[in-house]
Structures are given as C-alpha cells and as structure tokens.
Amino acid sequence: MMTMLLNQLNPSIKALTVIVMIFALTLVFDPFTPLVYCLFTIAITFMFGKVDGKKYFLYFLPFFLIAIGMLWTTLVFADAPKNAANTVQIFLWEFPKEDVVVAFSLALRMLAFASLSLLFIFTTNMVDFILSLMQQCKLPPKIAYGVLAGYRFLPLMKEELGQIRAAHQVRGVNRATNIKESIQQYKRFVIPLLAGAIRKAERTAVAMESKGFTGDKHRTFYRPFTLSWKDWAFFLFMFLILFITIFASIQLEYFQWYKGQL
Amino acid sequence: MIHVEHLSLSFAEDESKNILHDVSFDLDDGEMMMLLGPSGCGKSTLTYCLNGIYPRELDGQMKGTVTVLGKVVQDQKPGELSKHIGVVFQDPESQFCMLTVEDEIAFGLENLQIPRAHMEGKIEEVLQLVHLSDYKEATISSLSGGQKQKVALACVLALEPDILVLDEPTANLDPLATKEFINTIQWLQQQKQIGIIVIEHQLEGWASFIDRAHLLSKDGHTIFDGSLSKAIQLYGYKLQEQGISIPTVTQYALSAAKHQKRTYKRIPLTTEQFVSSVSYIDASIFQRKLKKGREQEQTILSASNLQFHKQGKSIIHDVDLTLKKQEFVAIVGANGSGKTTLSRLLAGIDSPTVGEITLHQRPLATWKEKQLRQEIGYVFQNPEHQFITDCVYDEIAYSLRIRCFQENDIQAQVNRILSYCKLEGLQHRHPYTLSQGQKRRLSVATMIVDDQQLLFLDEPTFGQDAASTRKIMDLLQERYENGTTVVMITHDMDLVDQYADRVIVVQSGGIVADESPIALWERPYLEQWFIEYPTRIQLQQKMEESYDDYATQST
C-alpha cells in the first residue's frame, strides 16, 4: 500500500535519514530553503505515511509557537544592522531587512527540524525502532531489552502514582498550597513509587534471565529487520528533494550558506 | 533429575542468620512436589538456587550443592539452565519485557538462538497448551492477571524445560483464575509428564493431584519430606500456625476428628474425598463464627442513584445503598465488576458522576476532607502506598498529630493501637521493612487510630498467609463487635461466610444482590456472578447429592 510506505521503512535508516537531513539543513541559512523543505516533508509524511492528522497538528503546534517566539526575540534583540536603511514592515513595526532574514531563517529552520522529527515519530513503532537498532546498528541487547522493559513500565507507574495520591489523601495529607509543600509532597510520592519500581525491575530482570537472556549478542530474531532498496531509495529521495530546494533557492537568489550569523 | 544436598544460604547483611538451613531433596523424572513454607522462609531463594541465579548474583554465602540433570548448577554458564528449568513467578505484572504475547514467547526462543523458521510453530503450540490461541497478537497489558500468568507459563514451556518451577503462581489471582491456572497445570502434566515443583504457602487446589510435600519451617529448616496427607496427619493444625494454609475441607475434617476423638486413615484434601470418606459430620463444625450484635437502626451512610463514568465508559450505574451502624459488609464479584470503584465512591475518594452520597445525613461533598477522614477509613490493596513517614510509631501518630493532640495523649493512643494490631516492639522500624502481614496490619492501624466508625478495606487478606489472614480478620471482628461498620472487598467466600453479616454482589457496575450470606447461599447458580459457594456450603451440597444418590439406589 502506498500510504503505508513510510511506516514500513527500516526504522534505523529512517532515523539516519532524518539525522543526516537535519545536519545538512544546518549548513544552509536562508528563509526559503527550510520553508520549502519543511512543506515537502509534511507533504511526504501525509502522502506516504499513515498519520493521524489531528494528532500531528497537536504535536506540531508547540514547535510552531516556539518558532514564533524565536522569531520575535531574534527580531527584537538583533545586533545593530550594517545596512539600517533597508527596512521591512511587519504589522506596525519596521525592522531592518537583514534582521528579518536572519530571524525567519532561524525560525523556519526549527520548523524544518520539527517536521523531520515528526515524520520519524509518527511513522515509527518504538519497539520496532529498538529491535532495528539492535539488528542494524549493533546496539547491545542488554540495553535494547532494558529500554523495552522500561517502556512497558511507564503506564504501570502512572497508574501507581494515581493510587498513591488517593492513598495519601485518605491519610489526611493536605493538598499542597505552596511550593515548599509541593516539593515535600512530591518527595512523599516518589519514595513509594521508586520502591515499587526498583522491586519490579529486579523481578523483571530475574524473569528475563530465567528465560535464558544473558545479554549475548548472538541471538536469533522473531522479527528480523532488513535493508532493502526502498530504504536507500528513501534516503536518496530525501536528499534529492533537498538538492532541488537548494537549487531553486539559488535560482531565486535566496540561498546563503551558514557563516556564523547570529 | 534435581538433586539438592545440604543447601545452606545466608545474605551478606546478616551472615549469622541462615535463610536456608541444610535443605536436601531429590526430584525424579516427571515427579511433582510441593515445597511448602510460610512467607519469608526462603522459598523464593531456593528458586534462585535452582535456576542458577544464585550463587552468581548472590551477595552472601551459599553452601552445599544443587545438581540439575547431573550438572552442578554452580558450574553452569549464565542462561544454560533455562533450557532445563522453567520458572513462573508470582507477580503477573513484572515478568515480561515485550509488549505482545507472541513477542514475549519469541524472546525466550531468541535467547536460545532457535532459528526463526521454527518460532511460529512453537509459539502456536505453547499457546494451545495453555488455551490462549486467540491471544497470540494481543498486547500483554490488555490481559487479565490469570491470562498473564498463563502467558508466563507459555513462555517457559516454549523453551521445553524438563522441570517447571512455579513460585506462588496464583498468589495474585482471584479464586476462579487460580482454579483455572491449577487446572491448566494439571492438564499440562498429564500431557507432557514434566517434573513440577510448586512453591506455595497454601494447599487449596494443588492437593488433589500433588502428593509429595517438602515442608520448610520459618527459619529455613526442612521439617518434613513425604506424602502430603501424612504431613497433615502428623502436624495437623500446626501447619496452619506455621503459616501454611491447609484446604478448608481438611480443616473441617480435622476439627470433626478432634470433636469425635477419632483419627483418619487418610485425611481428605478435596471436597470429593471428604464426601466419600466422611459419613457423619457434627453440625457444630459448620457453625459460623460471627456473633451478631444488636440490630442497629442508625444509618451512617446512604447513597442514591449513583453513577460513575470514566473516559466515556459507565463503571457504576444505578446504585442505591445504605450502610447502618455496626454492620460487617462484604462486597464480592468478578474482577473488573466495579467493586473497588464503588467502595472509593462511598468513601469519598472519587466523586460520582451522578447521584448523591450522604454521611450522617449530610452530603459527602460538603464535608471537609479532614473531618471526613475522621469518620471514614480506607485501607488500600497495596499497604505501602499509604505509608508517609519513616517509622511505625510516626505512621500511627500521623493523623493524631494533624489534629494537634497532646503528645502524651498521642503516645497512649498509639501504644494502645500497637498492641491492638499486634505490632508491639516494631514502633521504630521503617514501614517498608515490615513483613507483608505486618504492613497490612499497620495500614489498618493507621485507619482506626482516629476511631473511625466506618472502615473500608480493599482485599485485606490478599496474598497473606494463613496466620496473617487470621490476625487481620480477628482484628476486624473486634472492631465490628465494638460498633464499627466494616466494609470489605474480598474474593474469599469462606471469609464472607464466617465473618460477614451482609453481602453485596456487584456485577458489571450494578448491585445484583444485597442480603445476608445465608440467604445468598440459598440461591442457585452463583456462578453467573463469578462467585463460588463457600466450602461449607459446597460440602453440604455434595453430601446431600451423595445422600440422594444413596437413597435412590436403595429403593
């Protein structure tokens, strides 16, 4: 299926692609390239991945707000411009053009990073990612299965926290009204939670060892992750799009390397 | 197959105190054995010795030898023994590291480097063995406790062990799930003839098909090795004092024997054996322990038209209920039927979506938290969650200090409660270092120190051994006799039968029966509500049946 393509890619290659693209984008410093690349990435995410649009929007929103904040602070706290006469009007204020370019470059670059990260997060199963890291990137099984076991514990700990809170309420512990009390309350919650978690972790470790787990790198895999031409095609495709964007940017005379602006 | 010789073990914290003391036994091919002992006698330590985790991970001393299939355990490489010994542990929540059933079973196979081509078949085979074929792709967190334990069993079966070690596998399960798990084990043994060691502190359910027993005392000594019925014949009630629960039918038989000053050739361990070997039983044996107080009319708490929704799902609906002064109420029902939610609503911990609860004719919502907690106590399922301070004394004194009592008065009250809950001498210990039974009694102690007149308890006897259950129930009984209303969630119908004067049956969020236990036992088909008849009633039913059979045969 076409729309599942991203979800089916090898998670390690996907991660590699995203990281390489982020590094490549840091070399560029103009507003046009990251904007176009960001739009491309979002389009690819929705065209080739099975993504919940509403959830995507919710995750994207905080990045967007931070980007706006960044844009504003960069504009307001910019260095003295070399060419102060050349100005741009934004709403009611006038800013030197070079400051505006710098600010937009920075904010849009962040959005491009966000869209790349979300592409990975929304189309990758965490368990698959860890299994793939172990198979393709030689992540030691001890760490990989440790992380997986911990991942399982998170919802359990959340549930336990709720129970501890109710249990303390019944003991007549007052609700915290100031910071000092909040810290104290937090401390009281943490001890039973940690005690429970340590005990559980120990039991899980014993159970894993009883099933023959030794941390040995020689093991077979029930869910093997392999590399196919599709994975490399994705890698090249993302690069290609970046080149096209940069090419367009040069043609339109927006393009600039990052030369330590800011 | 397993050969344990003069095994002694102590931890580094206290070298002088042996956890296990000169334990020796042999287990033959396909033999089944129960390893019985009170909580904290080193049973689980022994499991670790059998599967090679000790002495490798042991911070302490281990003497003696353990041999499995002729191989000395101490000399084995890590992971080597898991091909021979499969262990199912007690806690269903912490035995897994993967998210789905198939991945978890595959995890063990991967560890043993079984080729992938063989995995699929293996996984399906073991799931069939534990009757969970439909759950292959299910996430583990969506399963019930009983199903999780069966998955844990499937995981070790996939490794084709020669011996299964079951370390209190049913301690966290309700009675129906326990029964099913034990049946699965029995069926499995018939299919595969593997050796099984069941580590337990209670005999109910296992006694019908395992006869060999190895008894450990509190200090880790072997006190008996041989036939289970012989052990009971020899020790009888003393086992109970040691913290090993014997089946309720056996208790009846023992007290009947005592009453009639006779002994059994073969002591009955199951209802079937009881019915066939006991011809006459004194009615006094069946008498309930409950001393009914005066009929009280004073209403303490009443709830009308209660409803509770969580995340769009209706958990409790249409509940009307009044609690009177001095009642001993048991709330029973299947897991997930809403028992705990109902009790939390009544205790004012959660607020109902619809409906009103009044305490002493005043709506619960208008009570100040502080005052409310002086009226209503609530003992949670996990006692540790309720502990706030660093020592037992402070723990009990906590709510008195909140109320700004004089330190002299506090001391007198705390000492009274300490002796009341049989916690004397422990006042300086940290709550977390207490034994399971002591923790439970401490959590009850903190909830009665204010003389709360209404006390809720969520499965207070869950996971407790016989002696500890006894102590808690006696404590509650005494509270009740002094006029407190006790509301207890439980799965143990024998406790309901003995102590409660009112039972509330909860089924899918509604109350389906609210009457005296005696009236409830009169009803046919309690199975529809996922509850069992107490042993006493089961016996009566069976005896009547066999009497009827006898009567029809003779005419």
Side-chain angles (χ1 to χ4, degrees):
Chain A
M1 230 172 79
M2 197 62 175
T3 53
M4 287 284 280
L5 205 66
L6 278 179
N7 305 57
Q8 287 159 355
L9 288 176
N10 184 297
S12 295
I13 293 298
K14 221 188 309 178
L16 179 76
T17 311
V18 167
I19 292 167
V20 169
M21 290 306 132
I22 286 177
F23 272 109
L25 275 172
T26 54
L27 298 176
V28 181
F29 204 82
D30 66 60
F32 180 85
T33 315
L35 173 67
V36 174
Y37 196 72
C38 172
L39 293 177
F40 264 124
T41 311
I42 295 174
I44 289 166
T45 310
F46 281 92
M47 269 160 64
F48 300 110
K50 201 174 149 231
V51 175
D52 178 354
K54 208 166 131 194
K55 213 171 147 196
Y56 188 92
F57 176 74
L58 278 176
Y59 274 71
F60 200 81
L61 198 64
F63 291 105
F64 192 72
L65 293 176
I66 294 171
I68 288 180
M70 235 159 106
L71 181 79
W72 188 248
T73 46
T74 334
L75 276 179
V76 176
F77 300 106
D79 295 336
K82 284 177 207 140
N83 189 354
N86 194 353
T87 59
V88 177
Q89 182 153 7
I90 300 178
F91 298 116
L92 302 171
W93 297 279
E94 244 176 59
F95 293 103
K97 189 176 172 197
E98 51 190 276
D99 286 353
V100 174
V101 170
V102 166
F104 270 98
S105 304
L106 203 65
L108 288 170
R109 172 193 263 196
M110 201 194 114
L111 285 185
F113 294 170
S115 67
L116 278 166
S117 312
L118 290 180
L119 177 142
F120 179 77
I121 292 166
F122 272 80
T123 61
T124 313
N125 177 319
M126 280 319 283
V127 176
D128 289 351
F129 179 46
I130 291 163
L131 290 176
S132 160
L133 276 179
M134 194 164 36
Q135 293 173 35
Q136 267 82 51
C137 306
K138 306 285 170 243
L139 180 74
K142 255 186 197 164
I143 296 175
Y145 285 100
V147 171
L148 283 175
Y151 189 63
R152 245 188 68 81
F153 276 157
L154 288 179
L156 287 176
M157 284 182 77
K158 195 180 151 205
E159 195 179 308
E160 202 163 346
L161 185 66
Q163 277 167 6
I164 293 171
R165 188 168 294 161
H168 283 192
Q169 181 195 334
V170 170
R171 289 296 308 277
V173 178
N174 284 331
R175 281 199 194 84
T177 48
N178 56 39
I179 295 173
K180 201 181 150 205
E181 278 174 29
S182 293
I183 292 170
Q184 241 170 9
Q185 186 175 349
Y186 180 70
K187 245 166 74 186
R188 272 200 297 263
F189 286 165
V190 158
I191 290 167
L193 203 61
L194 277 184
I198 290 169
R199 211 169 300 156
K200 275 203 202 92
E202 196 182 327
R203 284 190 204 137
T204 307
V206 168
M208 283 165 75
E209 201 171 334
S210 303
K211 285 179 204 157
F213 183 72
T214 55
D216 189 3
K217 281 182 185 158
H218 299 284
R219 52 189 292 120
T220 49
F221 288 101
Y222 179 59
R223 294 183 192 278
F225 284 86
T226 48
L227 297 180
S228 72
W229 64 270
K230 279 187 196 161
D231 302 311
W232 295 113
F234 171 70
F235 185 79
L236 293 176
F237 178 68
M238 292 302 279
F239 244 115
L240 192 68
I241 288 188
L242 184 64
F243 281 129
I244 293 172
T245 318
I246 289 177
F247 184 72
S249 164
I250 292 170
Q251 290 296 312
L252 297 167
E253 291 177 359
Y254 283 109
F255 186 78
Q256 250 184 48
W257 290 106
Y258 178 62
K259 291 174 300 216
Q261 292 95 327
L262 269 185
Chain B
M1 191 178 266
I2 289 188
H3 180 68
V4 176
E5 211 175 286
H6 304 301
L7 182 67
S8 294
L9 191 139
S10 62
F11 290 120
E13 305 140 34
D14 190 2
E15 293 267 358
S16 59
K17 191 182 158 231
N18 276 350
I19 302 295
L20 291 170
H21 206 106
D22 198 16
V23 174
S24 303
F25 63 85
D26 282 289
L27 190 81
D28 293 334
D29 263 350
E31 197 184 354
M32 290 187 285
M33 181 177 99
M34 295 208 72
L35 196 96
L36 293 160
S39 347
C41 76
K43 297 187 306 261
S44 297
T45 310
L46 188 59
T47 315
Y48 288 8
C49 294
L50 290 177
N51 74 354
I53 288 180
Y54 287 166
R56 194 162 9 100
E57 304 282 331
L58 175 68
D59 191 10
Q61 281 254 331
M62 180 173 152
K63 282 185 215 129
T65 49
V66 180
T67 350
V68 174
L69 293 155
K71 295 175 191 163
V72 178
V73 167
Q74 285 95 317
D75 303 340
Q76 299 299 304
K77 273 191 260 149
E80 198 59 32
L81 278 166
S82 54
K83 291 173 208 154
H84 304 302
I85 294 196
V87 192
V88 176
F89 294 94
Q90 175 181 349
D91 181 9
E93 299 304 331
S94 60
Q95 297 191 40
F96 309 114
C97 62
M98 301 297 284
L99 297 183
T100 68
V101 173
E102 54 178 336
D103 283 323
E104 188 61 44
I105 299 173
F107 172 71
L109 299 171
E110 292 171 352
N111 291 334
L112 298 191
Q113 299 177 44
I114 309 277
R116 180 165 180 269
H118 297 267
M119 287 185 187
E120 195 77 42
K122 198 85 240 177
I123 291 171
E124 264 154 29
E125 185 196 322
V126 290
L127 281 176
Q128 208 162 4
L129 275 176
V130 300
H131 311 293
L132 282 179
S133 295
D134 296 341
Y135 293 91
K136 189 176 153 211
E137 284 162 27
T139 53
I140 293 175
S141 57
S142 69
L143 303 179
S144 71
Q147 287 169 331
K148 280 180 191 154
Q149 286 302 70
K150 283 195 200 166
V151 171
L153 181 62
C155 287
V156 297
L157 285 176
L159 310 181
E160 299 187 337
D162 304 291
I163 301 140
L164 265 184
V165 177
L166 310 170
D167 189 351
E168 301 198 25
T170 61
N172 290 16
L173 305 183
D174 66 51
L176 283 170
T178 298
K179 223 177 188 174
E180 210 182 308
F181 186 84
I182 295 177
N183 286 342
T184 310
I185 295 287
Q186 189 175 7
W187 188 78
L188 197 74
Q189 218 277 337
Q190 285 159 4
Q191 301 289 311
K192 301 215 116 187
Q193 277 89 40
I194 49 183
I196 295 180
I197 298 180
V198 183
I199 297 179
E200 264 299 352
H201 62 81
Q202 60 107 22
L203 286 168
E204 196 91 55
W206 301 104
S208 64
F209 67 102
I210 303 183
D211 191 52
R212 163 112 183 257
H214 189 98
L215 300 185
L216 290 179
S217 66
K218 268 190 188 122
D219 49 3
H221 280 85
T222 298
I223 40 177
F224 179 85
D225 192 338
S227 150
L228 188 56
S229 41
K230 207 165 183 185
I232 292 174
Q233 209 126 26
L234 269 173
Y235 293 98
Y237 277 123
K238 279 192 199 132
L239 286 182
Q240 204 93 334
E241 284 157 26
Q242 273 289 327
I244 301 168
S245 339
I246 53 182
T248 321
V249 273
T250 314
Q251 290 177 37
Y252 285 138
L254 283 175
S255 59
K258 201 170 157 196
H259 201 75
Q260 294 161 22
K261 299 195 177 58
R262 280 166 44 188
T263 49
Y264 288 93
K265 276 204 203 81
R266 201 183 150 73
I267 199 112
L269 297 169
T270 61
T271 25
E272 286 74 23
Q273 288 171 10
F274 188 93
V275 172
S276 63
S277 66
V278 180
S279 51
Y280 165 78
I281 191 151
D282 206 302
S284 69
I285 307 292
F286 284 150
Q287 240 154 34
R288 282 155 44 91
K289 289 220 173 95
L290 180 81
K291 278 182 238 144
K292 180 79 190 106
R294 274 180 299 124
E295 199 63 36
Q296 298 273 358
E297 281 309 313
Q298 190 192 339
T299 299
I300 293 190
L301 184 132
S302 76
S304 60
N305 185 31
L306 277 196
Q307 289 185 32
F308 185 69
H309 303 275
K310 201 176 172 188
Q311 287 155 1
K313 268 193 287 185
S314 166
I315 312 242
I316 295 289
H317 56 83
D318 307 321
V319 166
D320 292 285
L321 186 72
T322 52
L323 294 174
K324 295 209 170 77
K325 192 176 157 59
Q326 199 176 31
E327 278 190 308
F328 203 127
V329 185
I331 301 183
V332 301
N335 270 341
S337 58
K339 302 186 297 286
T340 299
T341 312
L342 177 62
S343 69
R344 283 170 66 124
L345 290 177
L346 295 176
I349 297 171
D350 297 325
S351 325
T353 318
V354 180
E356 196 181 52
I357 303 170
T358 57
L359 175 68
H360 298 305
Q361 279 81 45
R362 228 179 91 194
L364 213 52
T366 65
W367 284 76
K368 278 219 180 83
E369 187 76 30
K370 220 171 175 181
Q371 262 92 46
L372 188 62
R373 293 304 147 213
Q374 285 163 32
E375 298 290 331
I376 305 180
Y378 192 103
V379 178
F380 282 76
Q381 209 184 75
N382 181 349
E384 278 184 10
H385 287 164
Q386 284 185 288
F387 298 151
I388 297 171
T389 63
D390 296 334
C391 82
V392 170
Y393 183 93
D394 290 343
E395 202 60 50
I396 299 175
Y398 185 84
S399 56
L400 301 175
R401 286 189 180 140
I402 286 185
R403 292 173 66 188
C404 306
F405 280 15
Q406 292 285 319
E407 201 58 35
N408 286 347
D409 298 342
I410 291 179
Q411 195 171 358
Q413 176 74 344
V414 170
N415 285 335
R416 199 173 66 80
I417 295 287
L418 275 171
S419 73
Y420 193 76
C421 296
K422 308 218 163 36
L423 292 168
E424 300 109 321
L426 299 170
Q427 52 265 52
H428 302 300
R429 291 268 293 275
H430 194 285
Y432 280 69
T433 63
L434 300 176
S435 75
Q436 285 305 318
Q438 289 162 346
K439 275 181 197 160
R440 176 65 69 186
R441 290 204 296 285
L442 177 59
S443 67
V444 174
T446 59
M447 283 298 140
I448 59 176
V449 68
D450 260 343
D451 251 330
Q452 285 93 332
Q453 286 305 297
L454 179 53
L455 187 61
F456 289 89
L457 303 105
D458 193 352
E459 302 199 39
T461 60
F462 194 76
Q464 307 280 319
D465 65 25
S468 171
T469 297
R470 184 70 198 239
K471 277 186 197 152
I472 291 163
M473 290 315 295
D474 285 348
L475 181 67
L476 294 180
Q477 167 87 10
E478 209 179 316
R479 284 310 286 179
Y480 163 74
E481 277 163 17
N482 289 329
T484 306
T485 303
V486 179
V487 183
M488 172 178 82
I489 296 174
T490 187
H491 284 293
D492 188 334
M493 291 303 143
D494 286 330
L495 288 184
V496 175
D497 186 45
Q498 280 182 23
Y499 292 95
D501 64 354
R502 177 176 167 192
V503 198
I504 294 172
V505 185
V506 181
Q507 160 88 330
S508 354
I511 292 178
V512 287
D514 181 356
E515 56 205 11
S516 77
I518 298 165
L520 184 69
W521 311 146
E522 297 279 316
R523 292 187 188 233
Y525 313 119
L526 289 186
E527 292 82 4
Q528 59 175 336
W529 296 328
F530 301 98
I531 52 178
E532 294 182 294
Y533 292 95
T535 316
R536 177 176 76 92
I537 304 297
Q538 284 182 28
L539 277 181
Q540 273 174 354
Q541 289 169 344
K542 286 254 167 60
M543 284 175 98
E544 272 160 30
E545 260 171 51
S546 67
Y547 180 77
D548 287 347
D549 287 349
Y550 180 73
T552 34
Q553 272 166 23
S554 56
T555 48

